[in-house]
Amino acid sequence: MSPEGKKLLNIVILGFGFMFMFTAFQTCGNIEQTVIKSFNSTEFHGSGYTSMAIIYGVFSASNLIAPSVVTVIGPQLSMFFSGLLYSGYIAMFIYPYTWSFYTASVFVGIGAAVLWTAQGNVLAINSTDNTIGRNSGIFWALLQFSLFFGNLYIYCAWHGHDHITDKDRQTVFISLTVISLVGCFLFFLIRKPDPEPAPAEAAESLLQAESTESSSTSEKLTSAVFFLSVKACKMFGTNEMMLLSISIGYTGLELTFYSGVYGTCIGAMTQFGKDAKSLIGISGICIGIGEILGGGVFGMLNKCNRFGRNPVVLLGLITHFVAFYLIFLNIAITTCCCTGSCSSWS
């Protein structure tokens, strides 16, 4: 296989690995609060919303050390061990306890930072300036299919169930754990790309540098951690990052809503009767289809538009407003889900 073919195969494997992992994890996040409310136990007092807050809070803080972890153990092992943390979080729902629920949330936050840093590293070393756009598109297309397949499974498994029994919960989360582990082990199929040919003088100088610097690896890693942390803090203080932080923060709120809150609201609507729980899966499927279509449409508009990115952003803003207005008509006027129970406002 040619070097370019090997790199492309690595990207495809990377995409499938993430697709399997996030088929399990995103489906878990979409249904976990509904599952928790159906869980009949006096020993469990966890909240899916608190868990997500812990995950993304630790995720944010752990990004300061994630590059150093990937440097030490390599991107392949970083993704594998991070994937195991994701699988452990999902498996926890088979027999949930409050302490294990929140402890797993902390570990997933750490694993998420390392996982996405390693993913960026693999994507970069298997791409060139000419192929980075294509490779990013392949990866994200495969990743977005995770919402489709995972929620389709939930729809089929919970169709006609107005209450999630222990057996239903265990069957679903055992299946999701196995799917997540398949994604973890797919990372071992990624092969290191062939090094770029270098001139003889450059190769000789690199070998000399490696031989002289190998003895001080630990000191360099320590200084690298400190340097990256300081650099990240300084970058956050720039005008560009301060402005971006507003939109990034709002994106986080929106992600929280559609990945966890919206599905829970649908599952709690008594108007849907016995189909309410299975409709969580339909909602997730539609979100996945929207992400796939939206990514493709906006990517083509951004590439072909001669007027810059402003019309693309404006179209996205209008679509955004329409979507939330429809959600308001669908849920907020007919039912109140804020307390976790539905009551009519009419």
Side-chain angles (χ1 to χ4, degrees):
M1 182 180 292
S2 65
E4 184 60 32
K6 183 183 292 186
K7 290 181 178 180
L8 179 59
L9 180 60
N10 284 342
I11 297 298
V12 173
I13 295 172
L14 180 70
F16 273 105
F18 271 72
M19 184 186 74
F20 277 101
M21 276 187 53
F22 282 89
T23 290
F25 181 73
Q26 289 185 325
T27 304
C28 172
N30 198 24
I31 66 174
E32 67 177 47
Q33 185 62 22
T34 299
V35 168
I36 288 171
K37 286 187 174 297
S38 299
F39 183 52
N40 185 19
S41 174
T42 57
E43 298 179 357
F44 185 81
H45 306 286
S47 167
Y49 301 136
T50 303
S51 171
M52 286 296 170
I54 293 172
I55 289 174
Y56 288 105
V58 176
F59 186 0
S60 301
S62 299
N63 276 297
L64 295 175
I65 63 169
S68 303
V69 174
V70 176
T71 301
V72 173
I73 67 176
Q76 191 175 52
L77 287 178
S78 296
M79 291 189 296
F80 174 72
F81 288 121
S82 299
L84 291 182
L85 295 178
Y86 274 81
S87 301
Y89 178 82
I90 297 166
M92 183 279 311
F93 282 94
I94 300 173
Y95 295 103
Y97 296 96
T98 305
W99 66 269
S100 63
F101 182 41
Y102 290 136
T103 302
S105 301
V106 173
F107 284 124
V108 167
I110 298 171
V114 175
L115 178 74
W116 285 104
T117 302
Q119 176 270 332
N121 182 273
V122 172
L123 188 63
I125 63 178
N126 285 280
S127 304
T128 63
D129 292 340
N130 295 326
T131 61
I132 184 65
R134 179 203 66 186
N135 291 347
S136 297
I138 292 172
F139 171 78
W140 284 104
L142 290 171
L143 174 64
Q144 298 310 327
F145 273 105
S146 61
L147 279 169
F148 178 82
F149 293 119
N151 288 286
L152 179 62
Y153 171 67
I154 292 300
Y155 174 74
C156 296
W158 288 358
H159 185 65
H161 292 205
D162 56 353
H163 179 76
I164 308 305
T165 65
D166 287 347
K167 183 178 179 181
D168 293 333
R169 184 193 73 249
Q170 290 170 0
T171 301
V172 166
F173 283 99
I174 288 173
S175 301
L176 294 180
T177 301
V178 172
I179 292 170
S180 178
L181 288 173
V182 170
C184 293
F185 284 97
L186 278 177
F187 294 138
F188 284 118
L189 298 179
I190 297 175
R191 293 291 174 259
K192 187 175 181 180
D194 297 330
E196 296 292 334
E201 294 180 359
E204 184 177 353
S205 63
L206 286 173
L207 289 173
Q208 291 176 352
E210 288 178 358
S211 62
T212 57
E213 293 175 0
S214 60
S215 60
S216 59
T217 302
S218 59
E219 292 92 357
K220 292 197 172 190
L221 288 174
T222 304
S223 62
V225 173
F226 177 76
F227 174 76
L228 290 171
S229 301
V230 172
K231 188 175 181 180
C233 293
K234 289 181 177 179
M235 184 181 295
F236 181 75
T238 60
N239 293 333
E240 291 82 359
M241 286 305 301
M242 293 298 289
L243 291 172
L244 281 173
S245 64
I246 299 174
S247 60
I248 292 170
Y250 179 72
T251 302
L253 292 175
E254 185 185 11
L255 171 65
T256 301
F257 177 78
Y258 79 73
S259 65
V261 177
Y262 185 47
T264 303
C265 289
I266 292 174
M269 291 178 68
T270 55
Q271 289 88 341
F272 291 144
K274 291 186 176 181
D275 292 330
K277 299 297 186 292
S278 62
L279 287 177
I280 299 174
I282 293 295
S283 169
I285 291 171
C286 292
I287 291 173
I289 293 173
E291 289 192 355
I292 295 168
L293 293 177
V297 170
F298 283 95
M300 289 187 291
L301 288 175
N302 193 43
K303 184 177 180 180
C304 302
N305 192 2
R306 295 179 297 175
F307 301 100
R309 291 178 294 179
N310 289 341
V312 178
V313 175
L314 180 61
L315 178 59
L317 184 64
I318 293 172
T319 306
H320 184 90
F321 286 156
V322 171
F324 274 87
Y325 181 66
L326 292 175
I327 291 171
F328 175 74
L329 293 178
N330 185 39
I331 290 182
I333 292 180
T334 58
T335 138
C336 175
C337 294
C338 296
T339 60
S341 61
C342 294
S343 60
S344 176
W345 286 12
S346 57

